Amino acid sequence: MSRRRTNNANGCADDVVILDSDDLAHRPKETLSALCAELDVPYTDSMLTWDDGPHECDGPWADWWYANVHKSTGWFGHDPKDKDE
């Protein structure tokens, strides 16, 4: 994960956090925990799982793009039986 300063469309400087999607898919707890720390957002284990099926926030392309997402209940590589250490 890294942080970069970029210019937004208005020409103002923004800090952005860049993470590797493979890290998120294969080490979701560690990656989300680090992301939350970087953004000063509280991490919770509820970020690791979700209910299957469509969600209000899916957007207009969900019917075409989210077939596998709608079948999922958590991040790839995450075992819901794993407990916090």
Side-chain angles (χ1 to χ4, degrees), residues 12-54:
C12 298
D14 283 331
D15 282 333
V16 295
V17 176
I18 301 167
L19 61 88
D20 187 322
S21 61
D22 285 336
D23 291 341
L24 185 57
H26 297 289
R27 293 192 326 268
K29 185 173 185 169
E30 296 84 357
T31 305
L32 288 171
S33 184
L35 176 64
C36 288
E38 188 69 30
L39 298 174
D40 198 25
V41 173
Y43 167 83
T44 66
D45 280 338
S46 66
M47 296 174 177
L48 299 174
T49 59
W50 50 83
D51 294 332
D52 65 349

Side-chain angles (χ1 to χ4, degrees), residues 67-80:
N68 289 332
V69 172
H70 287 163
K71 294 176 194 172
S72 72
T73 59
W75 291 99
F76 175 79
H78 170 68
D79 185 346

Side-chain angles (χ1 to χ4, degrees), residues 4-16:
R4 289 197 184 147
R5 193 162 211 40
T6 64
N7 289 324
N8 65 25
N10 296 323
C12 298
D14 283 331
D15 282 333
V16 295

